[in-house]
Amino acid sequence: MAGYEVTLADFARLVSDPYCQPSTAALLQRWYGLDIVGTKDEAWVRGADGPVDLAALHADIQVDADKQQSLYNTAMSLWR
């Protein structure tokens, strides 16, 4: 990892928090063609074939240094 890790819990917050969703959704759409559906406890990520496993998606982002840093920078800009 490149030192820009966003925890799974923080990633879930980025996906579910209405304030964070627009920025997070833009990244997921650009990278994977995915959409965020719902908010708060009802939020989930949808792909062309249906629901996407959040933990697997998080792991995929964390092993890609560019995506990892971009997600981290997005999180920090939202949470400052």
PDB file of all heavy atoms in Angstrom, residues 50-76:
ATOM      1  N   GLY A  50     -25.736  -6.160 -10.977  1.00  0.00           N
ATOM      2  CA  GLY A  50     -26.395  -6.114  -9.672  1.00  0.00           C
ATOM      3  C   GLY A  50     -25.477  -5.595  -8.579  1.00  0.00           C
ATOM      4  O   GLY A  50     -24.496  -4.901  -8.850  1.00  0.00           O
ATOM      5  N   PRO A  51     -25.780  -5.945  -7.328  1.00  0.00           N
ATOM      6  CA  PRO A  51     -25.009  -5.437  -6.186  1.00  0.00           C
ATOM      7  C   PRO A  51     -23.531  -5.851  -6.253  1.00  0.00           C
ATOM      8  O   PRO A  51     -23.194  -6.943  -6.711  1.00  0.00           O
ATOM      9  CB  PRO A  51     -25.688  -6.091  -4.979  1.00  0.00           C
ATOM     10  CG  PRO A  51     -27.058  -6.440  -5.446  1.00  0.00           C
ATOM     11  CD  PRO A  51     -26.916  -6.773  -6.903  1.00  0.00           C
ATOM     12  N   VAL A  52     -22.683  -4.952  -5.778  1.00  0.00           N
ATOM     13  CA  VAL A  52     -21.244  -5.177  -5.738  1.00  0.00           C
ATOM     14  C   VAL A  52     -20.839  -5.353  -4.275  1.00  0.00           C
ATOM     15  O   VAL A  52     -21.288  -4.595  -3.409  1.00  0.00           O
ATOM     16  CB  VAL A  52     -20.495  -3.978  -6.370  1.00  0.00           C
ATOM     17  CG1 VAL A  52     -18.998  -4.099  -6.194  1.00  0.00           C
ATOM     18  CG2 VAL A  52     -20.863  -3.835  -7.836  1.00  0.00           C
ATOM     19  N   ASP A  53     -20.010  -6.340  -4.001  1.00  0.00           N
ATOM     20  CA  ASP A  53     -19.516  -6.566  -2.652  1.00  0.00           C
ATOM     21  C   ASP A  53     -18.600  -5.413  -2.241  1.00  0.00           C
ATOM     22  O   ASP A  53     -17.565  -5.174  -2.884  1.00  0.00           O
ATOM     23  CB  ASP A  53     -18.763  -7.893  -2.598  1.00  0.00           C
ATOM     24  CG  ASP A  53     -18.243  -8.188  -1.214  1.00  0.00           C
ATOM     25  OD1 ASP A  53     -19.041  -8.690  -0.390  1.00  0.00           O
ATOM     26  OD2 ASP A  53     -17.062  -7.908  -0.964  1.00  0.00           O
ATOM     27  N   LEU A  54     -18.983  -4.702  -1.194  1.00  0.00           N
ATOM     28  CA  LEU A  54     -18.249  -3.505  -0.777  1.00  0.00           C
ATOM     29  C   LEU A  54     -16.826  -3.843  -0.340  1.00  0.00           C
ATOM     30  O   LEU A  54     -15.884  -3.110  -0.672  1.00  0.00           O
ATOM     31  CB  LEU A  54     -19.003  -2.789   0.345  1.00  0.00           C
ATOM     32  CG  LEU A  54     -18.654  -1.327   0.548  1.00  0.00           C
ATOM     33  CD1 LEU A  54     -18.978  -0.505  -0.687  1.00  0.00           C
ATOM     34  CD2 LEU A  54     -19.382  -0.777   1.760  1.00  0.00           C
ATOM     35  N   ALA A  55     -16.648  -4.935   0.384  1.00  0.00           N
ATOM     36  CA  ALA A  55     -15.306  -5.319   0.842  1.00  0.00           C
ATOM     37  C   ALA A  55     -14.392  -5.660  -0.332  1.00  0.00           C
ATOM     38  O   ALA A  55     -13.213  -5.281  -0.345  1.00  0.00           O
ATOM     39  CB  ALA A  55     -15.395  -6.485   1.815  1.00  0.00           C
ATOM     40  N   ALA A  56     -14.918  -6.347  -1.327  1.00  0.00           N
ATOM     41  CA  ALA A  56     -14.121  -6.692  -2.502  1.00  0.00           C
ATOM     42  C   ALA A  56     -13.766  -5.442  -3.303  1.00  0.00           C
ATOM     43  O   ALA A  56     -12.636  -5.302  -3.791  1.00  0.00           O
ATOM     44  CB  ALA A  56     -14.875  -7.690  -3.376  1.00  0.00           C
ATOM     45  N   LEU A  57     -14.711  -4.528  -3.431  1.00  0.00           N
ATOM     46  CA  LEU A  57     -14.458  -3.269  -4.132  1.00  0.00           C
ATOM     47  C   LEU A  57     -13.394  -2.465  -3.395  1.00  0.00           C
ATOM     48  O   LEU A  57     -12.462  -1.936  -4.010  1.00  0.00           O
ATOM     49  CB  LEU A  57     -15.757  -2.471  -4.261  1.00  0.00           C
ATOM     50  CG  LEU A  57     -15.664  -1.109  -4.916  1.00  0.00           C
ATOM     51  CD1 LEU A  57     -15.106  -1.204  -6.334  1.00  0.00           C
ATOM     52  CD2 LEU A  57     -17.048  -0.446  -4.923  1.00  0.00           C
ATOM     53  N   HIS A  58     -13.518  -2.379  -2.083  1.00  0.00           N
ATOM     54  CA  HIS A  58     -12.534  -1.670  -1.268  1.00  0.00           C
ATOM     55  C   HIS A  58     -11.145  -2.272  -1.463  1.00  0.00           C
ATOM     56  O   HIS A  58     -10.164  -1.551  -1.669  1.00  0.00           O
ATOM     57  CB  HIS A  58     -12.956  -1.730   0.202  1.00  0.00           C
ATOM     58  CG  HIS A  58     -11.931  -1.203   1.142  1.00  0.00           C
ATOM     59  ND1 HIS A  58     -11.081  -2.034   1.842  1.00  0.00           N
ATOM     60  CD2 HIS A  58     -11.605   0.066   1.499  1.00  0.00           C
ATOM     61  CE1 HIS A  58     -10.281  -1.296   2.593  1.00  0.00           C
ATOM     62  NE2 HIS A  58     -10.583  -0.021   2.397  1.00  0.00           N
ATOM     63  N   ALA A  59     -11.056  -3.601  -1.426  1.00  0.00           N
ATOM     64  CA  ALA A  59      -9.766  -4.279  -1.599  1.00  0.00           C
ATOM     65  C   ALA A  59      -9.175  -3.987  -2.974  1.00  0.00           C
ATOM     66  O   ALA A  59      -7.967  -3.764  -3.097  1.00  0.00           O
ATOM     67  CB  ALA A  59      -9.937  -5.784  -1.397  1.00  0.00           C
ATOM     68  N   ASP A  60     -10.009  -3.961  -4.001  1.00  0.00           N
ATOM     69  CA  ASP A  60      -9.541  -3.670  -5.353  1.00  0.00           C
ATOM     70  C   ASP A  60      -8.967  -2.259  -5.446  1.00  0.00           C
ATOM     71  O   ASP A  60      -7.939  -2.037  -6.083  1.00  0.00           O
ATOM     72  CB  ASP A  60     -10.687  -3.843  -6.354  1.00  0.00           C
ATOM     73  CG  ASP A  60     -10.209  -3.774  -7.781  1.00  0.00           C
ATOM     74  OD1 ASP A  60      -9.513  -4.716  -8.214  1.00  0.00           O
ATOM     75  OD2 ASP A  60     -10.518  -2.765  -8.455  1.00  0.00           O
ATOM     76  N   ILE A  61      -9.617  -1.312  -4.802  1.00  0.00           N
ATOM     77  CA  ILE A  61      -9.131   0.072  -4.802  1.00  0.00           C
ATOM     78  C   ILE A  61      -7.807   0.165  -4.047  1.00  0.00           C
ATOM     79  O   ILE A  61      -6.879   0.853  -4.485  1.00  0.00           O
ATOM     80  CB  ILE A  61     -10.182   1.019  -4.190  1.00  0.00           C
ATOM     81  CG1 ILE A  61     -11.404   1.105  -5.110  1.00  0.00           C
ATOM     82  CG2 ILE A  61      -9.589   2.411  -3.935  1.00  0.00           C
ATOM     83  CD1 ILE A  61     -12.616   1.772  -4.483  1.00  0.00           C
ATOM     84  N   GLN A  62      -7.700  -0.526  -2.931  1.00  0.00           N
ATOM     85  CA  GLN A  62      -6.508  -0.423  -2.090  1.00  0.00           C
ATOM     86  C   GLN A  62      -5.258  -1.002  -2.736  1.00  0.00           C
ATOM     87  O   GLN A  62      -4.141  -0.611  -2.372  1.00  0.00           O
ATOM     88  CB  GLN A  62      -6.759  -1.076  -0.729  1.00  0.00           C
ATOM     89  CG  GLN A  62      -7.782  -0.347   0.119  1.00  0.00           C
ATOM     90  CD  GLN A  62      -7.450   1.124   0.322  1.00  0.00           C
ATOM     91  OE1 GLN A  62      -6.365   1.474   0.789  1.00  0.00           O
ATOM     92  NE2 GLN A  62      -8.371   1.995  -0.036  1.00  0.00           N
ATOM     93  N   VAL A  63      -5.385  -1.913  -3.683  1.00  0.00           N
ATOM     94  CA  VAL A  63      -4.194  -2.466  -4.339  1.00  0.00           C
ATOM     95  C   VAL A  63      -3.766  -1.661  -5.566  1.00  0.00           C
ATOM     96  O   VAL A  63      -2.734  -1.947  -6.158  1.00  0.00           O
ATOM     97  CB  VAL A  63      -4.373  -3.960  -4.726  1.00  0.00           C
ATOM     98  CG1 VAL A  63      -4.588  -4.802  -3.487  1.00  0.00           C
ATOM     99  CG2 VAL A  63      -5.480  -4.151  -5.729  1.00  0.00           C
ATOM    100  N   ASP A  64      -4.534  -0.640  -5.916  1.00  0.00           N
ATOM    101  CA  ASP A  64      -4.195   0.242  -7.038  1.00  0.00           C
ATOM    102  C   ASP A  64      -3.766   1.589  -6.449  1.00  0.00           C
ATOM    103  O   ASP A  64      -4.591   2.336  -5.922  1.00  0.00           O
ATOM    104  CB  ASP A  64      -5.416   0.412  -7.943  1.00  0.00           C
ATOM    105  CG  ASP A  64      -5.121   1.261  -9.164  1.00  0.00           C
ATOM    106  OD1 ASP A  64      -4.640   2.409  -9.005  1.00  0.00           O
ATOM    107  OD2 ASP A  64      -5.398   0.796 -10.277  1.00  0.00           O
ATOM    108  N   ALA A  65      -2.475   1.886  -6.517  1.00  0.00           N
ATOM    109  CA  ALA A  65      -1.929   3.078  -5.854  1.00  0.00           C
ATOM    110  C   ALA A  65      -2.621   4.365  -6.291  1.00  0.00           C
ATOM    111  O   ALA A  65      -2.888   5.236  -5.453  1.00  0.00           O
ATOM    112  CB  ALA A  65      -0.422   3.168  -6.090  1.00  0.00           C
ATOM    113  N   ASP A  66      -2.906   4.515  -7.574  1.00  0.00           N
ATOM    114  CA  ASP A  66      -3.542   5.749  -8.054  1.00  0.00           C
ATOM    115  C   ASP A  66      -4.967   5.886  -7.523  1.00  0.00           C
ATOM    116  O   ASP A  66      -5.371   6.961  -7.073  1.00  0.00           O
ATOM    117  CB  ASP A  66      -3.548   5.805  -9.577  1.00  0.00           C
ATOM    118  CG  ASP A  66      -2.155   5.978 -10.166  1.00  0.00           C
ATOM    119  OD1 ASP A  66      -1.265   6.535  -9.481  1.00  0.00           O
ATOM    120  OD2 ASP A  66      -1.949   5.551 -11.317  1.00  0.00           O
ATOM    121  N   LYS A  67      -5.717   4.794  -7.567  1.00  0.00           N
ATOM    122  CA  LYS A  67      -7.084   4.831  -7.048  1.00  0.00           C
ATOM    123  C   LYS A  67      -7.083   5.033  -5.538  1.00  0.00           C
ATOM    124  O   LYS A  67      -7.887   5.798  -4.993  1.00  0.00           O
ATOM    125  CB  LYS A  67      -7.830   3.547  -7.410  1.00  0.00           C
ATOM    126  CG  LYS A  67      -8.156   3.453  -8.881  1.00  0.00           C
ATOM    127  CD  LYS A  67      -8.813   2.136  -9.220  1.00  0.00           C
ATOM    128  CE  LYS A  67      -9.063   2.062 -10.717  1.00  0.00           C
ATOM    129  NZ  LYS A  67      -9.411   0.724 -11.156  1.00  0.00           N
ATOM    130  N   GLN A  68      -6.175   4.355  -4.862  1.00  0.00           N
ATOM    131  CA  GLN A  68      -6.072   4.479  -3.414  1.00  0.00           C
ATOM    132  C   GLN A  68      -5.823   5.932  -3.024  1.00  0.00           C
ATOM    133  O   GLN A  68      -6.490   6.472  -2.141  1.00  0.00           O
ATOM    134  CB  GLN A  68      -4.940   3.587  -2.900  1.00  0.00           C
ATOM    135  CG  GLN A  68      -4.795   3.609  -1.391  1.00  0.00           C
ATOM    136  CD  GLN A  68      -3.544   2.899  -0.936  1.00  0.00           C
ATOM    137  OE1 GLN A  68      -2.455   3.187  -1.425  1.00  0.00           O
ATOM    138  NE2 GLN A  68      -3.697   1.971  -0.017  1.00  0.00           N
ATOM    139  N   GLN A  69      -4.873   6.574  -3.669  1.00  0.00           N
ATOM    140  CA  GLN A  69      -4.551   7.958  -3.341  1.00  0.00           C
ATOM    141  C   GLN A  69      -5.709   8.887  -3.686  1.00  0.00           C
ATOM    142  O   GLN A  69      -6.025   9.804  -2.930  1.00  0.00           O
ATOM    143  CB  GLN A  69      -3.280   8.413  -4.048  1.00  0.00           C
ATOM    144  CG  GLN A  69      -2.882   9.826  -3.652  1.00  0.00           C
ATOM    145  CD  GLN A  69      -1.549  10.263  -4.220  1.00  0.00           C
ATOM    146  OE1 GLN A  69      -0.928   9.554  -5.010  1.00  0.00           O
ATOM    147  NE2 GLN A  69      -1.106  11.431  -3.823  1.00  0.00           N
ATOM    148  N   SER A  70      -6.348   8.668  -4.803  1.00  0.00           N
ATOM    149  CA  SER A  70      -7.476   9.506  -5.198  1.00  0.00           C
ATOM    150  C   SER A  70      -8.625   9.387  -4.196  1.00  0.00           C
ATOM    151  O   SER A  70      -9.231  10.391  -3.811  1.00  0.00           O
ATOM    152  CB  SER A  70      -7.937   9.129  -6.600  1.00  0.00           C
ATOM    153  OG  SER A  70      -8.943   9.985  -7.038  1.00  0.00           O
ATOM    154  N   LEU A  71      -8.925   8.166  -3.765  1.00  0.00           N
ATOM    155  CA  LEU A  71      -9.983   7.976  -2.771  1.00  0.00           C
ATOM    156  C   LEU A  71      -9.600   8.634  -1.457  1.00  0.00           C
ATOM    157  O   LEU A  71     -10.418   9.307  -0.826  1.00  0.00           O
ATOM    158  CB  LEU A  71     -10.258   6.481  -2.567  1.00  0.00           C
ATOM    159  CG  LEU A  71     -11.385   6.158  -1.601  1.00  0.00           C
ATOM    160  CD1 LEU A  71     -12.733   6.635  -2.153  1.00  0.00           C
ATOM    161  CD2 LEU A  71     -11.436   4.663  -1.315  1.00  0.00           C
ATOM    162  N   TYR A  72      -8.363   8.471  -1.036  1.00  0.00           N
ATOM    163  CA  TYR A  72      -7.874   9.086   0.194  1.00  0.00           C
ATOM    164  C   TYR A  72      -7.983  10.609   0.116  1.00  0.00           C
ATOM    165  O   TYR A  72      -8.501  11.245   1.046  1.00  0.00           O
ATOM    166  CB  TYR A  72      -6.410   8.681   0.440  1.00  0.00           C
ATOM    167  CG  TYR A  72      -5.786   9.335   1.628  1.00  0.00           C
ATOM    168  CD1 TYR A  72      -5.895   8.759   2.895  1.00  0.00           C
ATOM    169  CD2 TYR A  72      -5.064  10.508   1.505  1.00  0.00           C
ATOM    170  CE1 TYR A  72      -5.317   9.359   3.999  1.00  0.00           C
ATOM    171  CE2 TYR A  72      -4.471  11.120   2.607  1.00  0.00           C
ATOM    172  CZ  TYR A  72      -4.601  10.538   3.853  1.00  0.00           C
ATOM    173  OH  TYR A  72      -4.018  11.142   4.938  1.00  0.00           O
ATOM    174  N   ASN A  73      -7.536  11.183  -0.981  1.00  0.00           N
ATOM    175  CA  ASN A  73      -7.603  12.638  -1.135  1.00  0.00           C
ATOM    176  C   ASN A  73      -9.049  13.133  -1.126  1.00  0.00           C
ATOM    177  O   ASN A  73      -9.350  14.178  -0.549  1.00  0.00           O
ATOM    178  CB  ASN A  73      -6.909  13.079  -2.425  1.00  0.00           C
ATOM    179  CG  ASN A  73      -5.408  12.918  -2.357  1.00  0.00           C
ATOM    180  OD1 ASN A  73      -4.824  12.785  -1.285  1.00  0.00           O
ATOM    181  ND2 ASN A  73      -4.768  12.896  -3.518  1.00  0.00           N
ATOM    182  N   THR A  74      -9.935  12.379  -1.746  1.00  0.00           N
ATOM    183  CA  THR A  74     -11.356  12.730  -1.735  1.00  0.00           C
ATOM    184  C   THR A  74     -11.884  12.700  -0.307  1.00  0.00           C
ATOM    185  O   THR A  74     -12.568  13.630   0.123  1.00  0.00           O
ATOM    186  CB  THR A  74     -12.161  11.775  -2.638  1.00  0.00           C
ATOM    187  OG1 THR A  74     -11.690  11.927  -3.980  1.00  0.00           O
ATOM    188  CG2 THR A  74     -13.639  12.059  -2.572  1.00  0.00           C
ATOM    189  N   ALA A  75     -11.579  11.641   0.415  1.00  0.00           N
ATOM    190  CA  ALA A  75     -12.035  11.524   1.802  1.00  0.00           C
ATOM    191  C   ALA A  75     -11.524  12.680   2.649  1.00  0.00           C
ATOM    192  O   ALA A  75     -12.286  13.291   3.413  1.00  0.00           O
ATOM    193  CB  ALA A  75     -11.587  10.192   2.398  1.00  0.00           C
ATOM    194  N   MET A  76     -10.258  12.996   2.516  1.00  0.00           N
ATOM    195  CA  MET A  76      -9.677  14.074   3.329  1.00  0.00           C
ATOM    196  C   MET A  76     -10.302  15.425   2.983  1.00  0.00           C
ATOM    197  O   MET A  76     -10.548  16.247   3.864  1.00  0.00           O
ATOM    198  CB  MET A  76      -8.159  14.129   3.153  1.00  0.00           C
ATOM    199  CG  MET A  76      -7.426  12.927   3.710  1.00  0.00           C
ATOM    200  SD  MET A  76      -7.729  12.622   5.470  1.00  0.00           S
ATOM    201  CE  MET A  76      -8.843  11.209   5.390  1.00  0.00           C
TER     202      MET A  76
END
